[in-house]
C-alpha cells in the first residue's frame, strides 16, 4: 500500500527516498477525540478543593482516560487503565489518589511513624520525580510525599519514611530494599499500612514475567536482599509484594500497551473484581500524527557513512525546529551524536551573522548521574532562553534549536511539556519535532517513541512532526508500521527480542554502568 501511494520518484533536490503517512487512528477518535473533554471534574466526584487545585494547574476538564477511571480509583477498586501515550494517565491516577489521601487524613488522622498510605511504583528515577512533583502540585503541598529510588540519598529516604508519609513514589528494587534491608536494620516502613498501590508503565514490568516457581522461591527468600538474581527480576519482587499487602489495599495498573498475555496476568494478579478501562485506540498511533520515513542507506557499507547520512537528515529536521527530541537506542549513540551536533557541518566555519546557530544540545540517558539527567531535563523544559541561546540570537539573528538527545528507555513516560516552554515562547505545541535517529526495535517501542509527538499537547496544540531514520533491513518493517498507521490498524505489540537483530535494529547494550542499572525498576 505504501509503495502504491508513493510511486513518484523523490524530487531532484532530495538526496534520499522518503515516505510520509498520517495516522488515521481509530474511528472512535473522530467522534470522541482525546482532546475533547467528556465531563466536568465535579461530575466525576471530585471535591471542590480538588477542582480548584486542578483549575489552577490548567486542567479545567478531564480527558477521556481521566473520566473513565476517576470514580473507580476514588472508590478504592482494583483498576487497569490502558490508553495510548499522552492520554493523561498519570493525572488520572494522581487526581483521585490525592483526594483519597485527604479523606484518609480526615478520617484516620495524620500518618503515623513508619507508615505509608499510598505507593506508586515506576521504572525510572526521573519518572518517579515527575510523578512526585505532579502530586505535590495537585495537592498544593498539603500531603507528605517523597521518592525512593537509587538516585536519591538512602539516609534521607529512611528518615522521611520513619516520620511517616502519605505518598511514596519509587522503583521496585529500592522499595524492596526499604521493606527488607540487610540485617540488623529494620524495615523503613510497614507494608501493612499501605491502602493503595499503583504501578506505572506496567507493561514493562510484566513483559519479562517470572515463572511461578521463581515467585514462590522469592517469597521463601524474601529476607535475603543480597540475592542478585532476585534483584534483576522486579516482577518476582512485585509478586511477593502482592502477597504481603492487606486485603483492603487497592491496586491500580497504568499502561500504554498490553502485549500478548499481559492483560491476562494482570487480571490474575488483581482478581476478578478488576475494573478494566481499555482504550479503543490502544496500540494505534493517534489520529493526525504525521510520520516521515527516510531511507538513510548508503552505497558505502560502512558504519561511518550511515551515521553521516543520518546526521545530515537530522540537521535538516533541526533547521526547522525550535524544541526537538531526538531518540537513540544507546547512550553511546547519544554521546556520539552530541559531539557531531556541537561541531559545525563540513565545509562551514564558525557561526557568523546571518548563519544558522548551533543547537543547544542536552544529553539524557541512563549512564549519566541522576543529577546530570535532572539538570538536562530542567534546561530543556525551561521556558526562558538561557544565556547561550540569547547570545546566539544576538549574533546570528535567530535563536538556536533546543535539542534533547535521549534513549527511548530513559525517556519513557516523561512529559517534556512540563515547564511551560510552549506557552512562554508562543508556540502551538510543546515539541515541534521528534526524530527517531535509531529506528525502534519493535512495534511497542515505535508506538512509545512516536507517542512523544502528542505528550502534553492540549486542545489548542498540534502534534509534533515525527521523522524516522531507517537503513537497509529496517525499511520493510518501518514501511509496514507506517502503512498500518495510515489505515488506522492496530500494531502487533508483542515481545520481539529474537527478531530485532534480523531486521538490523540496534539493541541497547546489556552492559551498562552502575547509574543505568539503578534507574531500571
Amino acid at each position: 500500500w505504501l509503495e502504491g501511494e508513493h510511486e513518484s520518484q523523490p524530487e531532484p533536490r532530495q538526496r534520499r527516498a522518503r515516505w510520509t503517512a498520517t495516522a488515521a487512528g481509530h474511528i472512535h477518535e473522530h467522534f470522541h477525540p482525546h482532546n475533547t473533554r467528556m465531563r466536568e471534574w465535579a461530575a466525576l466526584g471530585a471535591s471542590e478543593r480538588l477542582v480548584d487545585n486542578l483549575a489552577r494547574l490548567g486542567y479545567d476538564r478531564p480527558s477521556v482516560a481521566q473520566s473513565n477511571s476517576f470514580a473507580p480509583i476514588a472508590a478504592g477498586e482494583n483498576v487497569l487503565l490502558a490508553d495510548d501515550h499522552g492520554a493523561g494517565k498519570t493525572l488520572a491516577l494522581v487526581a483521585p489518589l490525592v483526594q483519597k489521601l485527604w479523606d484518609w487524613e480526615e478520617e484516620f488522622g495524620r500518618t503515623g511513624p513508619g507508615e505509608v498510605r499510598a505507593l506508586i511504583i515506576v521504572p525510572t528515577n526521573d519518572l518517579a520525580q515527575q510523578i512526585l512533583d505532579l502530586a505535590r502540585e495537585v495537592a498544593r503541598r498539603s500531603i507528605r510525599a517523597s521518592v525512593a529510588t537509587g538516585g536519591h540519598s538512602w539516609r534521607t529516604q529512611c528518615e522521611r519514611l520513619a516520620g511517616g508519609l502519605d505518598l511514596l513514589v519509587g522503583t521496585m528494587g529500592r522499595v524492596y530494599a526499604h521493606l527488607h534491608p540487610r540485617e540488623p536494620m529494620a524495615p523503613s516502613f510497614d507494608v501493612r499500612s499501605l491502602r493503595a498501590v499503583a504501578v506505572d508503565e506496567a507493561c514493562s514490568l510484566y513483559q519479562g514475567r517470572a515463572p511461578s516457581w521463581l515467585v514462590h522461591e522469592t517469597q521463601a527468600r524474601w529476607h535475603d536482599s543480597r540475592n542478585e538474581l532476585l534483584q534483576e527480576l522486579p516482577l518476582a519482587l512485585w509478586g511477593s509484594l502482592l502477597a504481603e499487602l492487606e486485603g483492603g489495599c487497592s491496586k491500580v495498573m497504568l499502561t500504554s500497551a498490553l502485549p500478548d498475555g499481559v492483560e491476562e496476568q494482570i487480571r490474575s494478579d488483581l482478581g476478578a473484581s478488576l475494573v478494566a478501562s481499555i482504550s479503543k485506540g490502544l496500540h494505534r498511533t493517534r489520529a493526525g500524527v504525521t510520520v516521515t520515513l527516510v531511507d538513510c542507506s548508503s552505497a558505502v557499507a560502512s558504519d561511518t557513512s550511515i551515521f553521516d547520512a543520518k546526521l545530515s537528515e537530522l540537521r535538516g529536521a533541526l533547521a526547522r525546529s525550535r524544541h526537538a527530541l531526538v531518540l537513540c537506542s544507546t547512550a553511546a549513540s547519544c554521546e556520539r551524536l552530541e559531539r557531531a551536533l556541537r561541531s559545525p557541518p563540513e565545509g562551514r566555519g564558525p557561526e557568523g551573522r546571518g548563519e544558522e546557530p548551533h543547537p543547544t544540545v542536552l544529553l539524557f540517558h541512563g549512564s549519566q548521574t541522576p543529577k546530570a539527567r535532572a539538570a538536562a531535563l530542567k534546561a530543556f523544559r525551561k521556558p526562558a532562553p538561557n544565556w547561550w541561546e540569547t547570545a546566539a540570537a544576538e549574533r546570528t539573528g535567530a535563536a538556536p534549536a533546543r535539542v534533547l538527545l535521549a534513549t527511548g528507555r530513559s525517556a519513557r513516560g516523561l512529559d517534556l511539556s512540563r515547564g511551560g516552554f510552549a506557552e512562554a515562547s508562543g508556540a502551538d505545541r510543546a515539541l515541534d519535532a521528534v526524530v527517531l535517529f535509531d529506528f525502534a526495535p519493535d512495534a511497542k517501542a515505535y508506538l512509545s517513541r512516536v507517542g512523544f509527538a502528542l505528550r502534553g499537547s492540549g486542545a489548542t496544540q498540534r502534534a509534533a512532526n515525527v521523522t524516522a531514520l531507517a537503513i537497509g533491513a529496517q525499511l520493510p518493517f518501518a514501511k509496514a508500521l507506517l502503512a498500518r498507521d495510515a489505515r488506522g490498524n492496530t500494531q502487533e505489540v508483542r515481545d520481539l527480542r529474537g527478531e530485532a537483530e534480523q531486521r538490523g535494529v540496534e539493541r541497547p547494550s546489556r552492559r551498562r554502568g552502575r547509574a543505568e542499572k539503578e534507574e531500571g525498576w
Side-chain angles (χ1 to χ4, degrees):
W1 175 89
L2 197 62
E3 296 289 357
E5 288 289 313
H6 301 273
E7 291 179 352
S8 60
Q9 295 296 321
E11 298 178 17
R13 64 181 178 82
Q14 293 180 327
R15 297 172 53 193
R16 300 176 183 88
R18 60 191 67 224
W19 300 265
T20 300
T22 300
H26 190 271
I27 190 173
H28 177 77
E29 294 183 50
H30 298 282
F31 296 100
H32 302 290
H34 280 260
N35 286 336
T36 300
R37 305 311 193 221
M38 302 297 293
R39 301 176 64 179
E40 301 285 342
W41 286 109
L44 300 176
S47 64
E48 183 177 350
R49 180 184 180 185
L50 180 61
V51 173
D52 290 342
N53 289 2
L54 291 171
R56 289 174 181 268
L57 297 173
Y59 304 114
D60 298 320
R61 293 186 179 183
S63 67
V64 175
Q66 293 154 7
S67 297
N68 293 338
S69 60
F70 188 96
I73 294 178
E77 300 185 60
N78 294 339
V79 177
L80 166 61
L81 176 57
D83 211 327
D84 56 359
H85 299 274
K89 296 186 295 296
T90 304
L91 185 62
L93 166 66
V94 169
L97 187 58
V98 166
Q99 181 164 297
K100 288 294 291 180
L101 291 172
W102 287 338
D103 294 341
W104 286 331
E105 182 168 358
E106 185 177 345
E107 182 177 357
F108 303 107
R110 188 180 175 90
T111 308
E115 293 184 354
V116 176
R117 283 183 174 152
L119 168 67
I120 300 177
I121 299 174
V122 296
T124 66
N125 171 73
D126 306 286
L127 183 56
Q129 189 62 53
Q130 175 179 292
I131 293 177
L132 176 68
D133 293 342
L134 178 62
R136 285 173 170 170
E137 291 170 2
V138 172
R140 297 197 68 191
R141 305 280 176 172
S142 62
I143 61 174
R144 292 183 295 165
S146 187
V147 293
T149 68
H152 294 80
S153 166
W154 171 268
R155 177 177 296 180
T156 302
Q157 293 172 25
C158 291
E159 291 174 354
R160 292 179 178 176
L161 287 167
L165 291 173
D166 296 312
L167 174 64
L168 177 67
V169 187
T171 54
M172 188 70 251
R174 183 51 67 100
V175 171
Y176 169 82
H178 277 292
L179 287 173
H180 299 274
R182 297 180 182 180
E183 297 181 356
M185 296 176 62
S188 301
F189 69 99
D190 186 359
V191 68
R192 295 171 298 178
S193 64
L194 289 170
R195 295 179 177 272
V197 175
V199 177
D200 199 1
E201 299 288 337
C203 60
S204 300
L205 178 66
Y206 279 88
Q207 194 98 45
R209 179 69 189 179
S212 59
W213 64 267
L214 184 56
V215 175
H216 295 318
E217 182 178 344
T218 306
Q219 293 171 354
R221 300 186 185 183
W222 189 235
H223 63 281
D224 185 7
S225 62
R226 293 168 295 180
N227 191 307
E228 295 181 0
L229 176 64
L230 301 184
Q231 292 285 4
E232 294 177 359
L233 289 172
L235 189 57
L237 305 181
W238 167 245
S240 297
L241 177 60
L242 284 175
E244 294 284 327
L245 296 175
E246 294 290 316
C249 180
S250 62
K251 298 99 177 173
V252 180
M253 311 296 286
L254 306 181
T255 183
S256 54
L258 283 175
D260 297 339
V262 171
E263 181 181 352
E264 291 75 12
Q265 190 58 59
I266 291 177
R267 290 183 179 275
S268 174
D269 286 347
L270 270 60
S273 61
L274 175 70
V275 177
S277 175
I278 302 176
S279 169
K280 295 181 180 180
L282 193 66
H283 300 166
R284 289 179 173 89
T285 301
R286 201 183 302 178
V289 176
T290 299
V291 182
T292 299
L293 173 66
V294 183
D295 180 6
C296 291
S297 301
S298 175
V300 181
S302 67
D303 185 60
T304 303
S305 63
I306 290 174
F307 179 84
D308 289 342
K310 286 184 172 183
L311 180 61
S312 174
E313 290 293 335
L314 176 61
R315 289 188 188 276
L318 296 182
R320 304 180 295 273
S321 167
R322 294 181 59 195
H323 211 222
L325 171 66
V326 180
L327 293 167
C328 304
S329 292
T330 65
S333 181
C334 287
E335 292 173 353
R336 182 184 182 188
L337 190 54
E338 181 204 24
R339 293 191 296 270
L341 287 176
R342 288 188 184 277
S343 61
E346 206 172 308
R348 278 179 48 183
E351 295 176 16
R353 180 165 294 278
E355 290 188 8
E356 192 173 320
H358 299 326
T360 300
V361 183
L362 302 163
L363 276 178
F364 188 87
H365 57 72
S367 294
Q368 294 175 292
T369 63
K371 186 176 180 179
R373 288 199 305 272
L377 206 57
K378 182 179 180 180
F380 186 71
R381 290 168 168 168
K382 187 178 180 181
N386 54 37
W387 68 269
W388 165 258
E389 294 171 330
T390 302
E394 294 175 353
R395 184 172 62 254
T396 63
R402 195 180 293 184
V403 182
L404 184 69
L405 304 180
T407 57
R409 179 175 181 269
S410 297
R412 61 187 174 188
L414 292 179
D415 181 5
L416 299 176
S417 67
R418 290 177 62 82
F421 175 86
E423 294 80 358
S425 60
D428 59 355
R429 48 193 167 181
L431 287 173
D432 52 16
V434 175
V435 181
L436 311 189
F437 190 81
D438 295 326
F439 198 78
D442 51 50
K444 177 175 175 288
Y446 170 79
L447 289 170
S448 174
R449 297 179 187 186
V450 172
F452 278 102
L454 277 163
R455 282 194 180 274
S457 59
T460 60
Q461 294 180 344
R462 298 184 293 119
N465 298 317
V466 181
T467 303
L469 311 181
I471 58 172
Q474 300 171 355
L475 286 170
F477 173 61
K479 290 180 182 179
L481 292 175
L482 263 66
R484 295 182 75 90
D485 280 349
R487 292 171 174 169
N489 295 341
T490 59
Q491 303 288 1
E492 295 184 9
V493 178
R494 50 198 176 96
D495 194 358
L496 301 174
R497 297 181 190 127
E499 300 178 23
E501 288 77 8
Q502 298 177 12
R503 293 195 294 270
V505 179
E506 184 182 11
R507 294 292 294 180
S509 171
R510 301 192 67 84
R511 298 182 63 185
R512 304 183 178 94
R514 180 178 178 184
E516 187 159 7
K517 285 183 179 179
E518 286 186 346
E519 73 147 358
W521 286 110

